[in-house]
Amino acid sequence: MAAPADSFEEALAAALADVPELARLLEIDPYLKPFALDFQRRYKRFTQILNNIGENEGGIDTFSRGYESFGVHRCIDGGLYCKEWAPGAEGVFLTGDFNDWNPFAYPYKKLDYGKWELYIPPKKNKSLLIPHGSKLKVVIRSKSGEILYRISPWAKYVAREGDNVTYDWIHWDPEHTYKLKHSRPKKPRSLRIYESHVGISSYEGKVASYKHFTCNVLPRIKDLGYNCIQLMAIMEHAYYASFGYQITSFFAASSRYGTPEELKELVDTAHSMDIIVLLDVVHSHASKNSEDGLNMFDGTDSCYFHSGPRGNHDLWDSRLFAYSSWEVLRFLLSNIRWWLEEYGFDGFRFDGVTSMLYHHHGMGQGFSGDYHEYFGLHVDEDALIYLMLANHLVHTLYPDAITVAEDVSGMPALCSPISQGGCGFDYRLAMAIPDKWIQLLKEFKDEDWNMGNIVHTLTNRRYLEKCIAYAESHDQALVGDKTLAFWLMDAEMYTNMSVLTPFTPVIDRGIQLHKMIRLITHALGGEGYLNFMGNEFGHPEWLDFPRKGNNESYHYARRQFHLTDDDLLRYKFLNNFDRDMNKLEERYGWLSAPQAYVSEKHEDNKVIAFERAGLLFIFNFHPSKSYTDYRVGTKVPGKFKIVLDSDAPEYGGHQRLDHKTDFFSEAFGHNGLPNSLLVYIPSRVALILHNVDLPN
């Protein structure tokens, strides 16, 4: 009888044989070795489903084109072909304006596996059977005999008219469609993301449009030096205040901002500016709406979702997909492809990944980092395999496409290649960083900030799994929380942001720390950087969508970009700093450089120093102490010059440094580095020095 150790070694050898590059993953992180069989099982399930798709559907390329047959389509002969998946239905019919809403005039034919199809021959005069803009409904006769009016899950355009509560399915078949003119930009070496919401992009109290965003916001994003836009709330959602996270129509671009053609123009215009566009895709759950959503589509509580308690998210009050279902996989993978091909998106930020990965959905979990938290029966491997398939599809279709996971759990190998047994994401969001900044501002005096703890939070990420760092996102801006600027300056933002008034201590502290927090997050926190629209200039107040609780007000559902254009307000200083910080990163590429070497995190002096991409970063977080001839270590000797100084007057600083000064290193070892230089570091200042003896 083989000893347990021998049995494990045999099983490990089999796992290494089954997963092509598992050995590389275990080399990177040997602590994953006890879980090699989990990676083997996941990878084998992934390949098995992929093979099944190949055998039964002709491959994932065909399988992911569901939108070409499902829904309603005009045929070459002028007729109509319609198809739906409604396994719980007794009968399916098409009705609408085109037949005076006769519910049973056009019955679908029942096919195998719960599918239904309908062909309507063309009119004799060859005129359109269903003209563009017509209203439609799928009529479902349930097993109990109930007659239900539904919107097709594949509907490409839905809209709400007047004061109607529910959305209408509108046939989108325009004579002239927008043709994408510009090729996709190349994958950026460094990712600088501007997280955006079209509806709140105007300073006016209304829902802004795709056209407004294209004409007014895209040029600002380009000027600020961002090379990627992450568009939120694009997939149609009946409830505006859900921030786009309660999806009702997965294939429809939200009509509250304009038409599908105008969204295509937005993406195309961004491409012309060499900016890539990611879609905030929500496949973690769906709205409970049934009349204008996926829920109860065929009269049952299953269909696209798990039946019973497993199909409900108690915290979000929404439905949960049955990821192991063949037709659900077709629907979701086709949805991924639709946004890439129809609208030209360059990738996705997957929302709610933590909820997908675990049966407990992350609720009540602290995630200590113990590896047993990431393996076992509490992991929803159906969802995990779906994410592997989605990443495989995206990167097969477009190798330069980018996928980002919103995961708070820290699951190992989430951003490792599928060939290693990983999930295949390109990046994960570094979600602990914004929490750390909020904690420091809420709970600690400036002089009690722990430099080592800040550095640990900013650098605590898995080796070779890329992270998107951010000081704050839309989450921190929502009502109930506050932006960093508001935590720092609060009510004084209403009265003391004019350049005609002297700096108050609160405004001075707020402006200086706002810049320092952003720069150290940008430079030390990851391999990508994200900012939520408006926060770059310290947008005042919070974000709150019109709802009953605020009398349907749009006052807080807008972005006041005009504040940065007012030369008499201090918002321009923060905007200038954000722009120059991004453009300096474009020049030197620290986000794509190896992780920084932190040579100093001095608790008493409140100084942090590190090198990355050939640049020397120095931060003095002390509220009052400046340091003359402060020694800082450096790896390579040479002459150093200041390339960014948060104390410069154009950034609302106090101009305490002479930028003409040259700093010469000497062969004097310091903090583990062979060379060092002496620098004057004023209080609350961030500096970047470049060794001019090195190439840019």
Side-chain angles (χ1 to χ4, degrees), residues 136-138 140 148-170 235-240 242 246-256 286-298 304-305 319 331:
L136 297 170
K137 288 280 189 182
V138 173
I140 302 287
L148 307 167
Y149 286 80
R150 295 289 189 250
I151 291 175
S152 169
W154 304 82
K156 297 175 178 65
Y157 186 71
V158 297
R160 183 162 55 193
E161 292 189 353
D163 296 327
N164 289 357
V165 175
T166 56
Y167 274 69
D168 291 312
W169 172 19
I170 296 173
M235 300 166 74
E236 190 60 272
H237 48 292
Y239 185 41
Y240 189 42
S242 74
Q246 294 269 348
I247 306 301
T248 42
S249 290
F250 283 74
F251 286 83
S254 183
S255 60
R256 55 171 56 87
S287 168
K288 271 191 172 177
N289 288 20
S290 54
E291 286 193 40
D292 54 6
L294 276 186
N295 192 25
M296 305 286 290
F297 173 68
D298 64 354
Y304 288 92
F305 310 107
R319 298 304 313 275
F331 179 78

Side-chain angles (χ1 to χ4, degrees), residues 122-127:
K123 290 183 178 179
K124 288 181 180 178
N125 63 6
K126 300 295 183 181
S127 64

